[in-house]
Amino acid sequence: MIDLCLVGAGFIGPVHAANLAAHPGARLKWVIDLNLPAAKALADKHGARAGGDLAEALADPAVRAVIVCTPPRTHTPIIEAAARAGKAIFCEKPIDLDVARVDACAEVLMATKVPFFVGFNRRFDPTHRALHDAIRAGEIGRAEMLILSSRDPEISPPDYVAAMPYGIFYDTMIHDFDMLRWLLGDEPVEIYARTACMLDAKENPHRDPDTAMVVLRMAKGALVHVNSSFRAVYGYDQRIEAFGEKGMLISGNQQPTTVERYGKDGIRRDPLLHFFIDRYAESYKRELDEFVQAIEARTAPTIGFDDGRRALMIAEAGVHSAKSGSPVALPA
Amino acid sequence: MIDLCLVGAGFIGPVHAANLAAHPGARLKWVIDLNLPAAKALADKHGARAGGDLAEALADPAVRAVIVCTPPRTHTPIIEAAARAGKAIFCEKPIDLDVARVDACAEVLMATKVPFFVGFNRRFDPTHRALHDAIRAGEIGRAEMLILSSRDPEISPPDYVAAMPYGIFYDTMIHDFDMLRWLLGDEPVEIYARTACMLDAKENPHRDPDTAMVVLRMAKGALVHVNSSFRAVYGYDQRIEAFGEKGMLISGNQQPTTVERYGKDGIRRDPLLHFFIDRYAESYKRELDEFVQAIEARTAPTIGFDDGRRALMIAEAGVHSAKSGSPVALPA
Amino acid sequence: MIDLCLVGAGFIGPVHAANLAAHPGARLKWVIDLNLPAAKALADKHGARAGGDLAEALADPAVRAVIVCTPPRTHTPIIEAAARAGKAIFCEKPIDLDVARVDACAEVLMATKVPFFVGFNRRFDPTHRALHDAIRAGEIGRAEMLILSSRDPEISPPDYVAAMPYGIFYDTMIHDFDMLRWLLGDEPVEIYARTACMLDAKENPHRDPDTAMVVLRMAKGALVHVNSSFRAVYGYDQRIEAFGEKGMLISGNQQPTTVERYGKDGIRRDPLLHFFIDRYAESYKRELDEFVQAIEARTAPTIGFDDGRRALMIAEAGVHSAKSGSPVALPA
Amino acid sequence: MIDLCLVGAGFIGPVHAANLAAHPGARLKWVIDLNLPAAKALADKHGARAGGDLAEALADPAVRAVIVCTPPRTHTPIIEAAARAGKAIFCEKPIDLDVARVDACAEVLMATKVPFFVGFNRRFDPTHRALHDAIRAGEIGRAEMLILSSRDPEISPPDYVAAMPYGIFYDTMIHDFDMLRWLLGDEPVEIYARTACMLDAKENPHRDPDTAMVVLRMAKGALVHVNSSFRAVYGYDQRIEAFGEKGMLISGNQQPTTVERYGKDGIRRDPLLHFFIDRYAESYKRELDEFVQAIEARTAPTIGFDDGRRALMIAEAGVHSAKSGSPVALPA
């Protein structure tokens, strides 16, 4: 049984807390949040202790791991403190918004050698994983093109957008930048990005890009396209298409029911699942399970700090390309 | 090049006439109809001669074949006259509504030995045929259950209904009674049928059955279900499902386009093709092509008089079952 | 918080036990099974007490409800004992295989007035329920035809089959007999059934029917077809199609992933979910949740003893029809 | 009745000849080809005259229109000769491979004012057109992203490839460059392209690009992605996805039948139609019909010379981008 401390009782924290509660090998012992009432509410629900100060939880020798789900710019100090306290770390993506800070953090981690897991949950989705496994098993031979459609049903609130400019790269497509590395087992060497503001001034007052198209070249030659939007009115649109010398694999969308309604105007199915927490409910469970099992078995998680760092680098290069209008080379 | 005479310029006549016009090996020479203006209009369109008297066309030695598409109760005298004139015969289904008359007609045909083809067009639909060929190739092993859904978008006009009571058996499901024999390569030994009047008195003033469910047992043991309706508001619904020891085959519906429309209310596709002449356009071409080729090659058509007779017998037994409420045995 | 006692640690018992463990308002307090080691193993997993004697658990005043998942022929004495002890009852379907015994049991229940819930889990499947709600909302107007396909991937073990002859009615299609009542809000007045033995003597040594087709007429006029098989090699096949004056609703099958694999031989998707416990995982959770909430709120469950009795009556009439070859009338 | 002369009896010529033969308002009078036996064979099949010299046919006053389906580099002299002879012109795409030559040709056309139609057949596909009409009708509101997948099942023969380097732009994606203009009613202002050689040296001995990804920005702001390959082993892959503020429209692929095959390994459908002549059979008919009707009605075709010129300009800019690695601006 592993005791854990969750840092950040906000948006995604309760999802991880509920999954910990249902996990047979894990126990939520602490919930830490600067907003103490939020920490208390979440802790009470799951029989954990609440606190406003991380140090208190890190001092608890029973705590073996920390789940970091605070805003991205607060991640690195928490990671460093947890690492110095010898705790295993599960950190939400992105690790940070600044590669230099991430590199500094990497040094602390390397010195402490604590297990580190970055929460790219999409790798754990059963459908995406089946596509990954089929590529690896050679079903399409050499992969030649990869197309990722990654569209949110709505934009984040203005405060959230203001806190993370170019969030469509750092927060949304960063998932796709991780997925393309994982699916192809390859690294990109160049990125070209174009963005647009399609939402009106009321929905997107900061005029931050809400629409994007990206093309990447991979070291082994494959071409990759990513498109993203913050306005998929029909639901959370998450598709992957891998094309290769022997065929094509498509990971399609998901709907709440399979009902088909036939009428005079045609045949209608449900809109897509609207919310990422519904769409990726299973992924959130499975990533946490892998993290817990890796701690228990003292093995390295299959996804680590360098994966988080590389996805951030690609996002950063994509932002440079979008701003300059020219393709940007990526270091090998 | 085969010269043909078409008898019956009404509903389905123009479809066959146009297909003959486009056929490289056939030529429409005569159009005969008691309604001479109708015969003339159709004949003029295709450069054929028009007449009100079949004898005139049968006397033309150039005419090698006759296409019979008059109302069912007029078929047998036309067949007999054409047979006595030594012409090959393509006859629309049903051959007649009375098995005794069909048997009498059979004697004339046997005496003259002219080629005879009954127009069960569905056998020539590429999708249904692919299903048939897959059964024959053993894809599902022994066939255990067969389900045919056979639904029209609307009921025929009252006059048409009055002229053919229980038309849902004699005119609509007769196709399915032929299909089940052809698909399974087997004969039914028993039929049970239940009907209902679901349309209101305005749409269905004669209160003829407009809805039906049928169960048949086949000699080799398979169970068959047929359902039919005259009110499929979403289009002409034509599906076949064959279930067997190794799997299932489904022949699905067809739509005018593949467009999918994603919106807040869900994902919408086109309604089904509405009209049987659109849905089975290809079948009408292919059945006529087989008929013309069989005449040219002096081979027997793959579907003949006995197929028409057996489908009618099943329909008749089905009507008896529907009326009596009990299953009816079919002769081997 | 409701404390419950589970009776029957076999097949479906562990499913209910795990759902109770995850339920925020319920607690598994006892597991009773004549096979004491089985009871112990399941009880230990969830921190409950194990016993071989139901009386001990019924004597525990903390226990407010009993979950009955023993073999069908043992249900009525357990129900009666639990009712006399004043416990609420959740009973797996079928209540029993004999209508007379069910009627006797009904008298005890009526005397004690304990809440009773029969586990027709399919009513709680989100897709089937969406179809139900659409019918109720008038989406297809008057329902005219209902078609239920209900196919298991394999036959039960010979012992299980021997203990319940005609299990395809009593154990499998009984779900459909319940569904048709619930979906149409109507009662059948007549049933006609035909069965076959398609599996070979090794798979089906008792030559119990493994394939069935049924047609029912409903009091309000709709026609219903049910087909069933114990050999759907492509997975657990569960479809419902409701046809009415304004359109059609289809509740389709479910697959583990949405991956599509395009290759030279065509486009391939996953086979269906193979096992009913996977296919109806969500239904099992939701039915138990309704039961627990009904106890907590002291309201009647939406599905009760009479629903179990009526489904059994339809199954029994279906068996009579299959044996006699004639349709059987059902009492109003 | 319009008499026409077909120039070029090769690949696509017979398709147009057969469609003319079936057209009620058109008659194929001449077939011209430098390869006189080829011209003769095609002319004989349709009762037309054959010739090796275009001048002879252009001198025939009965000929009102010319269909140009010779190799692209021979188009402009034929167009100019036909224009000077006052004939209406239907020209296969691309008009030429060199914008300067196209501009010179435009001057001749402007002087003669003969009707000109460029054969971008995809505009006439019923499914693509339904998508176009839905955009125009405002179904998705403002179009924000457009994705075109345009993949051939195999590469052209080496001679054909050698005669048209970067044919993936000039011959294949030129269709998409036309489609994006037509669908969005807008012009691109910038193009970025990346290509790869994925086929091996035996299949692609000239190492001409066989795989491409393109991103374009449109004047009104929409972002467009085109991907193309010469190795879609599962068939001719032709999809369009239009995303906008109110939803998404998808024009999907087409298959020879709707059969679904359920087995232990999953559910299999047919591969896609393999050949563009099958996939776009209806488009070829409809574009010719529009051309013939426009001549008859003396109205301008809906797609003209400037459409051909603009698609070529986009292709040319795309090649510059692919060669330079940088985005290329397009003139307004």
Side-chain angles (χ1 to χ4, degrees), chain D residues 279-295:
Chain D
R279 168 63 183 86
Y280 286 119
E282 189 63 24
S283 316
Y284 283 112
K285 282 180 200 161
R286 293 190 181 197
E287 65 174 4
L288 210 54
D289 180 54
E290 165 155 334
F291 176 63
V292 169
Q293 288 201 31
I295 299 172

Side-chain angles (χ1 to χ4, degrees), chain B residues 239-318:
Chain B
R239 285 169 288 153
I240 302 174
E241 178 179 328
F243 175 90
E245 63 182 333
K246 293 182 187 168
M248 173 168 63
L249 297 159
I250 294 179
S251 173
N253 277 309
Q254 296 184 3
Q255 296 161 280
T257 79
T258 63
V259 171
E260 290 189 308
R261 297 156 197 264
Y262 286 65
K264 279 190 181 174
D265 297 331
I267 304 166
R268 192 161 55 81
R269 289 177 288 141
D270 286 352
L272 307 183
L273 287 171
H274 193 74
F275 199 37
F276 69 90
I277 288 178
D278 296 328
R279 168 62 182 86
Y280 286 119
E282 189 64 24
S283 317
Y284 284 110
K285 282 181 201 160
R286 293 189 182 197
E287 67 174 1
L288 210 54
D289 181 54
E290 165 155 334
F291 176 63
V292 169
Q293 289 200 31
I295 300 172
E296 196 68 78
R298 298 180 192 280
T299 56
T302 58
I303 172 166
F305 193 84
D306 191 54
D307 294 302
R309 184 182 169 277
R310 283 186 179 266
L312 177 63
M313 277 175 52
I314 302 169
E316 199 167 75

Side-chain angles (χ1 to χ4, degrees), chain B residues 142-147 149 151 190 192 194-198 211-213 215 217 221-225 227-229 231-234 237 239 241 243-248 250 325-327, chain C residues 142-147 149 151 190 192 194-198 211-213 215 217 221-225 227-229 231-234 237 239 241 243-248 250 325-327:
Chain B
R142 179 186 181 187
E144 299 177 349
M145 296 196 287
L146 182 71
I147 297 173
S149 295
R151 304 178 193 158
E190 189 194 69
Y192 171 78
R194 275 295 179 189
T195 62
C197 278
M198 293 292 186
T211 307
M213 279 196 171
V215 168
R217 274 192 310 125
L223 298 176
V224 179
H225 168 66
N227 65 74
S228 191
S229 165
R231 176 156 58 183
V233 299
Y234 51 85
D237 188 358
R239 285 169 288 153
E241 178 179 328
F243 175 90
E245 63 182 333
K246 293 182 187 168
M248 173 168 63
I250 294 179
S326 296
Chain C
R142 181 185 180 186
E144 299 177 350
M145 296 196 288
L146 182 71
I147 297 174
S149 295
R151 304 177 192 159
E190 189 194 70
Y192 171 78
R194 276 294 181 189
T195 62
C197 278
M198 293 292 185
T211 308
M213 278 197 173
V215 169
R217 275 192 309 125
L223 299 175
V224 178
H225 168 66
N227 66 74
S228 191
S229 165
R231 175 155 62 180
V233 299
Y234 50 86
D237 188 358
R239 284 170 289 153
E241 177 179 328
F243 174 90
E245 62 181 335
K246 294 184 185 165
M248 173 168 62
I250 294 179
S326 296

Side-chain angles (χ1 to χ4, degrees), chain C residues 65-84:
Chain C
V66 172
I67 311 278
V68 185
C69 27
T70 55
R73 288 186 200 284
T74 67
H75 286 175
T76 58
I78 297 172
I79 292 169
E80 290 167 14
R84 287 188 178 114

Side-chain angles (χ1 to χ4, degrees), chain B residues 179-227:
Chain B
M179 289 298 275
L180 63 91
R181 294 180 59 246
W182 177 62
L183 291 170
L184 298 179
D186 194 7
E187 300 293 338
V189 294
E190 189 194 69
I191 185 168
Y192 171 78
R194 275 295 179 189
T195 62
C197 278
M198 293 292 186
L199 296 169
D200 63 29
K202 199 176 149 194
E203 297 162 297
N204 183 5
H206 300 291
R207 310 317 292 154
D208 202 51
D210 53 40
T211 307
M213 279 196 171
V214 174
V215 168
L216 304 103
R217 274 192 310 125
M218 304 300 288
K220 293 177 193 160
L223 298 176
V224 179
H225 168 66
V226 185
N227 65 74

Side-chain angles (χ1 to χ4, degrees), chain B residues 6 8-10 14 31-45 50-51:
Chain B
L6 181 80
V31 176
I32 303 295
D33 200 304
L34 292 179
N35 177 345
L36 197 57
K40 275 220 164 103
L42 186 57
D44 284 355
K45 191 170 170 187

